[in-house]
Amino acid sequence: MATSFFTPTKVFTSAIGLRVVLLFYGLYQDANAPIKYTDIDYFVFTDAARYVSQGRSPYDRETYRYTPLLAWLLIPTTWSPASVWFSFGKAIFSIADIVAGWLIVLVLRSPKGNNMSRERALKFACIWLLNPMVATISTRGSSEGLLGVMVVALLWAVIHRRMKLAGVLLGLAVHFKIYPFIYASSLIWYLDDERTSPPHARKENGTSTPNSQPRHRPHVPPPPPPQKYLSSKILNFINPARLTLTITSLLTFTLLNLTMYTLYSTPFLQQTYLHHVTRIDHRHNFSPYNTLLYLSSSSSSSKLQNSNSKTSSIPPFESLAFIPQIALSAVLIPLVLAKKDLPTTMLAQTFAFVAWNKVCTSQYFLWYLIFLPFYLPQSSLLSSNANPKPNPRLTHPTPNTTSYLKPHLTPNLIPHLNLLAPTAWIITQTWWLYKGYKLEFMGQSQFYPGLWAAALGFYVVNVWILGIVVGDVLN
């Protein structure tokens, strides 16, 4: 009798083996090919680590835009022999991938999560663990796997009501890379009394069992005045879980930033945070803002802006691009979806944040790929076209269950949607990569209409997929 591949030993051994092979292949390509396997950002990380090892600031390395924690972590890359230690960071990032996959399995198997069998949980965890894009990006030297660990650990902590741990993880994640701040609004909105109170407290607050009967008709007090009503709503909103998460996350974020500012002063604030407000990177950028950023970065555009600065008070568009992005990912999506399905809300938030971001590179795709194992099991992308089955997961815990997720009942209204959506995403991305290759490696002008049209096509597909995700939660 054939045994299943989806056992912890086989899945995690395969995931580790995939990354080991890619690490050694990367060494070969770096030594023998004109196009290097190692990501340019990894050289930035290791240069910053070398400066730190010499007692200097990591921000002495031009284009280092990250927390000093990353440079500190990679100090071993400066040790001898370099042929052995230089890849230390890649190994750390690859191990982080594996840890993130293990956390995914924990959440999927948890009674407070999807409550899956081990085999089924491992199948969906393979979307991350055996994904060649994830493994390639980490073994090239991108640190996104570290964020994956923090984000999935944050989700696990929240659904298990470990609020202090969740607050520390949220503060650390936002310090490490800014974007996880968007999860704060969905977590706060999600953590109402119904989800955070133990069952006996819900009974005391008026939830009765089917066999219980009220002894008398309760007295209904008259409605309070509007001012008192508003103040009571605010006080009721501030429950212990929300308060603990807010205080611990703010304390963690503040202490980390104060420590780094004390050590590295203004360059820390400028390079780690403020730089992103006016960032105009246009290389390797899938964003629909790509061409506009290129024009803004040109010398002629800069001269024109300087000549008009005295007569115009309108800020440059790169400083305004955050408005629709933050409004959608940090406000609208959490308010509409968070109480229905927290993991899918975090997926939708991240997807929107990346799609509307003025700078979008391949590494950013990992930010939302890590949520796919939580969304896909009951999504319309995998449901039957004709006979969709309800998901046994419930919106909130009841006396008979502790599941925290929402039923998805959306049928596939578009035939073969499970093939069409990823195919469209891959084709439009490949279209952009082809135009980008001709521009950056062959020196051919591709900005208009080629690269611009490819970026818009990729953006439209992302918006369509986001609509599918949101529709699954709402329906």
Side-chain angles (χ1 to χ4, degrees), residues 10-86:
K10 292 180 180 179
V11 168
F12 283 96
T13 300
S14 299
I16 294 170
L18 172 63
R19 286 158 178 81
V20 170
V21 169
L22 288 174
L23 280 171
F24 280 100
Y25 170 77
L27 295 175
Y28 172 81
Q29 182 174 325
D30 285 345
N32 296 278
I35 300 177
K36 304 303 180 185
Y37 183 83
T38 301
D39 195 308
I40 186 64
D41 285 344
Y42 189 71
F43 292 103
V44 176
F45 300 161
T46 54
D47 287 348
R50 186 174 67 254
Y51 287 137
V52 170
S53 69
Q54 297 169 354
R56 299 168 59 184
S57 167
Y59 302 104
D60 288 345
R61 198 329 179 161
E62 189 178 359
T63 73
Y64 185 78
R65 321 286 191 192
Y66 313 91
T67 170
L69 292 178
L70 183 58
W72 295 357
L73 179 65
L74 298 186
I75 286 178
T77 61
T78 66
W79 298 348
S80 297
S83 58
V84 174
W85 287 103
F86 180 74

Side-chain angles (χ1 to χ4, degrees), residues 13 53 84 119 137 196 234 267:
T13 300
S53 69
V84 174
E119 182 177 354
I137 288 175
T196 57
I234 295 174

Side-chain angles (χ1 to χ4, degrees), residues 248-398:
T248 52
S249 61
L250 287 177
L251 278 177
T252 303
F253 180 74
T254 302
L255 288 174
L256 285 170
N257 286 332
L258 285 176
T259 301
M260 299 308 167
Y261 183 78
T262 301
L263 293 173
Y264 301 113
S265 189
T266 303
F268 160 69
L269 291 179
Q270 176 61 39
Q271 301 300 330
T272 306
Y273 299 115
L274 301 180
H275 163 76
H276 297 280
V277 177
T278 57
R279 185 180 181 186
I280 54 175
D281 300 353
H282 61 86
R283 290 182 177 272
H284 325 295
N285 186 359
F286 293 90
S287 169
Y289 294 113
N290 180 299
T291 304
L292 287 174
L293 291 175
Y294 170 72
L295 295 174
S296 294
S297 65
S298 66
S299 59
S300 59
S301 178
S302 298
K303 292 178 181 178
L304 179 62
Q305 182 178 349
N306 291 335
S307 64
N308 294 335
S309 60
K310 295 182 180 180
T311 59
S312 175
S313 60
I314 301 176
F317 90 91
E318 59 266 18
S319 299
L320 300 175
F322 290 105
I323 296 176
Q325 179 191 30
I326 301 304
L328 185 62
S329 63
V331 180
L332 296 179
I333 289 177
L335 286 177
V336 175
L337 304 183
K339 291 190 177 184
K340 301 177 183 294
D341 186 338
L342 181 60
T344 304
T345 300
M346 296 171 75
L347 166 64
Q349 286 181 274
T350 315
F351 205 97
F353 186 89
V354 173
W356 268 263
N357 200 26
K358 64 182 179 182
V359 177
C360 175
T361 63
S362 297
Q363 292 94 321
Y364 296 4
F365 303 152
L366 270 61
W367 297 356
Y368 55 76
L369 285 177
I370 199 164
F371 290 109
L372 288 183
F374 310 118
Y375 160 69
L376 285 177
Q378 299 296 336
S379 73
S380 62
L381 294 176
L382 296 185
S383 65
S384 169
N385 288 335
N387 298 305
K389 296 180 180 180
N391 181 0
R393 301 181 300 173
L394 301 179
T395 304
H396 53 77
T398 67

Side-chain angles (χ1 to χ4, degrees), residues 61-140:
R61 198 329 179 161
E62 189 178 359
T63 73
Y64 185 78
R65 321 286 191 192
Y66 313 91
T67 170
L69 292 178
L70 183 58
W72 295 357
L73 179 65
L74 298 186
I75 286 178
T77 61
T78 66
W79 298 348
S80 297
S83 58
V84 174
W85 287 103
F86 180 74
S87 297
F88 172 81
K90 298 178 183 180
I92 290 295
F93 302 152
S94 299
I95 292 171
D97 278 354
I98 304 301
V99 175
W102 173 70
L103 289 170
I104 289 171
V105 174
L106 288 185
V107 174
L108 291 175
R109 295 201 66 199
S110 169
K112 296 181 178 181
N114 294 58
N115 201 20
M116 286 186 181
S117 66
R118 185 178 68 178
E119 182 177 354
R120 182 170 167 81
L122 286 167
K123 286 181 180 178
F124 284 100
C126 284
I127 296 171
W128 173 265
L129 287 169
L130 300 183
N131 190 319
M133 174 182 282
V134 175
T136 299
I137 288 175
S138 293
T139 54
R140 292 187 67 218

